[in-house]
Amino acid sequence: MTYRELLNKYKTIAIEKDLEVEAIKLLILELSDYDGASFLAHFDDEIENDKLNVLLSAISKYVNDFIPVQHILGYAYFYGYKLKVSKDVLVPRCETEELVGYALEYYDEIFKGKSVEVCDIGTGSGAISIALNKEEPKMNLTATDISKEALEIAKLNARINDANIKFLEGDLLEPLIKNNLKFDILVSNPPYIAYDDEVDPLVVKNEPHLALFAENNGMECYERILKDASKVLNKTNIILFEHGYKQKELMINLVDKYFPNSECEVIKDLSGNDRITVIINK
């Protein structure tokens, strides 16, 4: 069997099971031992039996056992950085890469190259913190998470990517308030799925519910952060959130409640969904 034949066979199966064809492509590419250009050059080569067995086993875990590709591989790519992932952290999403991009853009607009203190609230795998620290060294990163297991993964990812991040265990802003820390930028992709929302079974089965679901129509964490944010923010500051595509009005209501005099913008993601809220206080 060639790589082309393998892909075509399981592409059809993925479509029949309403799974992602791109996931099959990623598995085959990552486990082929070729980089992207070389893989295309070997696309019609016969696959050695040992390698074919590895590929078939991995693909079966995805299409039959419904295990995310990133969990099968043990890693994911985020903003160009390779991150270890496990059942203890969310697999980083492309929408969160957009959150990082806007954090960098608004930093340039408001702080113009100054050294700033940034906190990633609910860091999970450390994806946001690592990307920000690597892309803008003048961002001094602190990251919090309530999960000890998630923080261990985040610390490992920081070491792997040579990122300089201070990690604190605790619930949302609590460790920041406890240590009397002040920040210029808060960024967060907290749990935002309502408990009665319909969620992809692949996600529900494999990803930590602590990082997925929240009370109050999914808005509990945003309200708790905004309620206490003034305790940890410097006068000029930026708050950036990723949220669900149906939560625009709920977010605006919270911003009006806790930061009525701030500038606020809700930004659509690349799929055209309301996804990122930016709050600016000057």
Side-chain angles (χ1 to χ4, degrees):
M1 182 180 287
T2 67
Y3 289 106
R4 184 189 298 275
E5 290 167 342
L6 181 67
L7 176 59
N8 287 338
K9 177 181 178 179
Y10 284 98
K11 182 163 64 173
T12 302
I13 293 172
I15 291 170
E16 289 172 352
K17 295 193 173 188
D18 199 26
L19 294 170
E20 296 180 10
V21 172
E22 288 302 316
I24 303 292
K25 291 180 181 178
L26 179 62
L27 268 179
I28 295 174
L29 174 61
E30 289 294 316
L31 295 174
S32 71
D33 298 328
Y34 296 118
D35 61 27
S38 299
F39 180 72
L40 291 176
H42 293 274
F43 202 37
D44 291 306
D45 289 1
E46 286 289 327
I47 308 170
E48 298 173 3
N49 282 335
D50 288 350
K51 188 176 291 185
L52 180 59
N53 289 334
V54 170
L55 285 164
L56 290 173
S57 174
I59 293 170
S60 176
K61 289 177 182 177
Y62 179 65
V63 299
N64 295 321
D65 300 331
F66 302 106
I67 298 173
V69 168
Q70 295 84 354
H71 285 180
I72 297 168
L73 295 172
Y75 58 85
Y77 292 100
F78 181 85
Y79 224 82
Y81 302 100
K82 190 174 181 179
L83 304 175
K84 178 178 173 58
V85 294
S86 75
K87 61 181 177 57
D88 295 312
V89 297
L90 289 185
V91 174
R93 266 71 169 180
C94 56
E95 292 88 355
T96 310
E97 291 184 320
E98 296 181 52
L99 177 66
V100 168
Y102 283 111
L104 293 167
E105 181 179 316
Y106 279 91
Y107 159 79
D108 285 338
E109 179 182 323
I110 304 300
F111 294 106
K112 300 179 176 64
K114 295 178 182 176
S115 179
V116 294
E117 298 297 323
V118 182
C119 186
D120 171 20
I121 306 160
T123 191
S125 66
I128 293 172
S129 296
I130 290 165
L132 289 176
N133 181 249
K134 298 297 289 185
E135 296 295 314
E136 179 47 74
K138 289 188 177 179
M139 285 186 170
N140 304 310
L141 263 297
T142 298
T144 73
D145 207 288
I146 195 172
S147 167
K148 188 185 297 289
E149 293 77 14
L151 283 176
E152 289 304 313
I153 296 291
K155 290 174 183 176
L156 174 59
N157 284 327
R159 290 196 297 271
I160 291 170
N161 288 282
D162 194 28
N164 185 19
I165 300 166
K166 179 180 180 181
F167 293 99
L168 295 174
E169 183 180 343
D171 191 8
L172 301 177
L173 301 185
E174 286 179 3
L176 311 182
I177 297 169
K178 178 181 176 181
N179 289 283
N180 196 30
L181 300 176
K182 295 290 184 180
F183 294 90
D184 305 292
I185 300 174
L186 298 181
V187 59
S188 185
N189 176 26
Y192 60 70
I193 300 173
Y195 281 98
D196 58 355
D197 278 357
E198 189 173 328
V199 184
D200 186 339
L202 194 72
V203 173
V204 173
K205 178 184 174 185
N206 294 282
E207 304 207 50
H209 289 195
L210 184 66
L212 290 170
F213 298 100
E215 298 283 357
N216 191 21
N217 295 313
M219 301 303 291
E220 178 191 16
C221 293
Y222 302 109
E223 179 149 24
R224 289 177 57 204
I225 291 170
L226 290 173
K227 182 179 178 181
D228 288 335
S230 60
K231 298 176 183 177
V232 301
L233 284 169
N234 291 321
K235 182 179 178 182
T236 300
N237 61 72
I238 311 170
I239 305 170
L240 301 103
F241 289 129
E242 179 181 334
H243 51 77
Y245 70 95
K246 296 178 181 178
Q247 293 171 326
K248 175 181 177 179
E249 294 305 320
L250 294 173
M251 281 297 314
I252 291 173
N253 290 340
L254 285 180
V255 176
D256 287 344
K257 180 177 179 179
Y258 293 105
F259 286 89
N261 299 316
S262 67
E263 298 176 25
C264 178
E265 181 180 6
V266 179
I267 302 169
K268 295 184 183 297
D269 61 23
L270 292 177
S271 298
N273 296 315
D274 295 313
R275 183 67 62 183
I276 294 164
T277 291
V278 182
I279 306 160
I280 300 172
N281 297 287
K282 296 180 181 178

